Amino acid sequence: MTQVQRPPAISAPTGRGDEVEIAILAPRFEEHAFPWRQIFGYAASLILTMAALLLVVHHVLPPVGLIVAILALATIQASLQLGLFMHLRESLGSTWHVVTLALAIVVALGIVIFSIWIMSFKSGVS
Amino acid sequence: MAQLIAKLFPSTVLRPMEIGADASILLAVLAVVYILTRYRKWGWLWREWITTVDHKKIGIMYLIAAIVMLFRGGVDALMLRTQLALPNGHFLGPEHYNEIFTTHGTIMVFFMAMPFIFALFNIAIPLMIGARDVAFPKLNAISFWLFAFAALLFNMSFVVGGSPNAGWTAYPPLTELHFNPGVGENYYLIALQITGIGSIATGINFLVTILRMRAKGMSLMKMPLFAWSALVTSSLVIFAFPALTIALALTMLDRLFGSTFFTIAHGGMPMMYVNLFWIWGHPEVYILALPAFGIFSEVVATFSRKRLFGYAAMVGSLVAITLLSYGVWVHHFFTMGAGAAVNAFFGISTMLIAIPTGVKIFNWIFTMWGGRIKTTVAMLWQLAFIPTFVVGGATGVMLAVVPGDYQFHNSYFLIAHFHNVLIGGVVFGLFSGLYYWWPKMFGYMLNERQGKWAFWFFVIGFWVTFFPQYLLGLKGMTRRIYTYPHGMGWTLLNLISTVGAYAMGIGFIILVYSVVYSWRHQERDLTGDPWDGRTLEWSLPSPAPEYNFAVLPEVTERDAWWEMKQAGKTGRIPAKDVHSIHMPRNTPMPFLLGLSFFVAGLGAVFSWWYVAVAGMMGVFIILVSGWFDYHDHHEIPAEEIRRNEAALGRLEG
């Protein structure tokens, strides 16, 4: 595991007159000789997606079992992608991660739960 | 061959109006090509604009595109109003009318309001927060070119292949292949998908820019309110757009690949499309409105010459509106009949939004209270906004009352309501921002006198257009009908409404004339601070140099530039403080990426799969080569910056 040399970070001038200031967000992340982790994440995501598709296409389980199975596969894939691609473990400060993740979970759960509630109207009115 | 021609040019694109439009487009293109060639401007266009990654230039390109789209959407609107002016109109046929109201709505939301907002984000946000560019400049250019090529793809539809015609909401079963053959809806689905990628990228870009690139000392609670509105808008974009992506993708699968997600005959759920569409659609309303609120908060403070009243309450209500806006989407389809509990819940959550919005209205009024108000054009738009938006908000609360909504739903009352908030809130705000930041963008002032003429025509025209529509709704006129008989009691109100629409059109023409006139005749902005502004963008020359700030500012107070002026800390820059700056280098990659998406999209629209695959191969190759492009910086030497600042009279000694 090698830490690549970081470009100069944005900083207030020190007055020595020799530094270069960078105009964009200085990239700060770990880089490895070969991106094994990302390739694993990509392959695993493809396999999980294919698995969900095959389960449904061939009706391997009864409907309720199918829904539970594909929700489980989706949850695994979501956490895999968050962990492997979203630089969650590489952050300098975790405050914003907590805020955005909390908002993401609230919004995602809200959309799913409310949609089920809204769409169950067929049994409610008839 | 004959089949191909029939597919490319069905009868709907060969009507006299379409042929006329073809001819004028052709003439406009030839004129542009002639001018660029005659004055040898092709190289300039490529180097300075097409390949640029500078946020200020990207903002200007967004702005030009938005104005062009405002023209197209406005012409659509005038055609609709002409058809409806009198009973039994023959100006447009029923099919033609469907196409026009579909493209009017889609263009105004996706290709006018969104880019207009991104234009003002790009132009103002980095300057306001003391940054030299956005966090990811290349991604910013990618967002723009995805939008631009998506807009081109969408606008092509009425010339080649046929317009979409299922309304801007594109509900199934209207969009099902069985009921809606032809490629029109494919244009809608694919173009919106492409521009959606760009919008999400812009959301990420500005979220990161605002969180990570503020000037030293500018804590979140010292940010200008426009930056706050951009921050919460970005978070709305990021969390709301994926729902639209899914809704469009599933419809596309239904149409192009024979799936049945929304086909009721095969067990699909068309209502799920409606649900997904509005999970995005309601936050989208606030994606459009909150930036306008941010603009007004800057404009009202500057021209009242007071600091904004109740800053913390303003920030709190922005955040409250953001969170609440995720929980109200069912109010767009109460009449679907999801049951009393669901409708009651979403009715109440909708009414709750009126509270933080009311807080903001009062804060703007209290900002003006006791201030020395200067009625510039930017401020006039703000003054017109407050009563207009209050009416729009109040009719919104009326629509939120579920039993009432069963009466108002899909009537002209609804049409009047959402134009009331989207024009009275968003468009007034965008025009205010346009006048406010124009000198910062281009270095010259817009003519105030002409601006006031445009303002009065547009605002009075607006009320004349839309107030009768509330009454029409109450008299039972429903939306999306292409004509109506005599004796309904609708004739006079429709005629008045059409007159108002033409007045708005005249206002728009005066505005465009004023831009051209001012460019030739109006005074230059030499100080960089023509309005005696309060925020950091006014500390820079107009237009700002490529690197924005020769020396990054340090912020100690809210309204940083105003405080610097009060403390007398606005002197020239000491030469020793100027250092070399790494700037992002121009690259053709974003343009080529947009072009590849365009090719892929066109292939998908017509189901020419070899073209679509070739386009996506292009996307892949350009992305990969972009990743390994290590020459994406260039350095501006300190000496060059000193020379430039000295020429602007801003260097010490």
Side-chain angles (χ1 to χ4, degrees), chain A residues 10 12-13 15 17 19-25 28 96 100 103-104 107 110-111 114-115 117-119 121-122 125, chain B residues 132-133 135 137 208 211-213 220 239 269 271-272 275 279 323 329-330 337-338 341-342 345 579-583:
Chain A
I10 304 164
E19 64 272 72
V20 172
E21 296 175 26
I22 191 165
I24 62 170
L25 188 66
R28 304 169 192 210
W96 289 110
T100 47
L103 190 58
V107 171
I111 288 174
F114 275 111
S115 292
W117 188 38
I118 295 162
M119 286 300 143
F121 74 105
K122 276 188 268 186
V125 286
Chain B
R132 287 192 173 125
D133 209 317
V208 177
L211 290 181
R212 294 291 301 277
M213 297 188 59
L220 284 177
F239 287 115
M269 272 177 109
M271 288 307 179
M272 194 61 191
N275 185 52
I279 286 174
L323 294 175
W329 73 89
V330 176
V342 172
F345 177 91
H579 306 292
S580 303
I581 302 172
H582 262 310
M583 292 301 294

Side-chain angles (χ1 to χ4, degrees), chain A:
Chain A
M1 183 163 146
T2 52
Q3 190 86 16
V4 286
Q5 202 178 0
R6 285 177 185 170
I10 304 164
S11 58
T14 59
R16 292 192 304 275
D18 53 347
E19 64 272 72
V20 172
E21 296 175 26
I22 191 165
I24 62 170
L25 188 66
R28 304 169 192 210
F29 49 81
E30 294 170 20
E31 199 173 288
H32 306 277
F34 193 76
W36 284 116
R37 200 180 274 153
Q38 282 76 6
I39 287 175
F40 167 74
Y42 181 57
S45 300
L46 286 181
I47 291 168
L48 288 167
T49 305
M50 287 306 290
L53 181 67
L54 290 176
L55 282 180
V56 176
V57 167
H58 296 292
H59 295 282
V60 177
L61 298 167
V64 176
L66 268 184
I67 290 173
V68 172
I70 61 175
L71 278 179
L73 288 174
T75 313
I76 295 171
Q77 190 175 148
S79 31
L80 206 66
Q81 296 201 359
L82 274 177
L84 293 177
F85 299 141
M86 298 298 178
H87 304 283
L88 261 197
R89 294 159 300 115
E90 301 164 1
S91 154
L92 294 177
S94 61
T95 325
W96 289 110
H97 281 168
V98 175
V99 174
T100 47
L101 268 182
L103 190 58
I105 289 169
V106 168
V107 171
L109 282 181
I111 288 174
V112 173
I113 292 169
F114 275 111
S115 292
I116 292 172
W117 188 38
I118 295 162
M119 286 300 143
S120 63
F121 74 105
K122 276 188 268 186
S123 55
V125 286
S126 58

Side-chain angles (χ1 to χ4, degrees), chain B residues 500-548:
Chain B
Y502 276 91
M504 289 171 82
I506 293 170
F508 175 77
I509 290 171
I510 297 175
L511 189 117
V512 172
Y513 170 77
S514 177
V515 165
V516 178
Y517 173 90
S518 306
W519 172 52
R520 300 293 300 275
H521 302 291
Q522 204 60 24
E523 60 182 301
R524 307 291 115 176
D525 167 29
L526 298 175
T527 61
D529 188 13
W531 311 122
D532 199 4
R534 310 179 72 83
T535 43
L536 285 173
E537 73 269 32
W538 305 111
S539 70
L540 297 171
S542 299
E546 184 191 354
Y547 46 81
N548 296 353

Side-chain angles (χ1 to χ4, degrees), chain B residues 428-441:
Chain B
F428 285 13
L430 294 171
F431 283 160
S432 180
L434 182 79
Y435 267 81
Y436 183 58
W437 282 304
W438 190 274
K440 191 50 64 188
M441 289 181 246

Side-chain angles (χ1 to χ4, degrees), chain B residues 164-235:
Chain B
N165 54 9
W168 83 278
T169 48
Y171 285 175
L174 299 176
T175 52
E176 270 177 45
L177 195 58
H178 182 63
F179 302 110
N180 197 343
V183 297
E185 283 306 315
N186 299 349
Y187 272 115
Y188 172 95
L189 296 167
I190 310 272
L192 262 49
Q193 201 68 282
I194 295 172
T195 191
I197 300 170
S199 298
I200 294 176
T202 303
I204 294 170
N205 217 334
F206 279 90
L207 187 84
V208 177
T209 303
I210 294 168
L211 290 181
R212 294 291 301 277
M213 297 188 59
R214 297 188 308 277
K216 204 172 174 191
M218 185 183 279
S219 62
L220 284 177
M221 291 306 276
K222 285 181 186 152
M223 282 201 306
L225 217 73
F226 185 58
W228 260 109
S229 76
L231 179 67
V232 296
T233 303
S234 301
S235 78

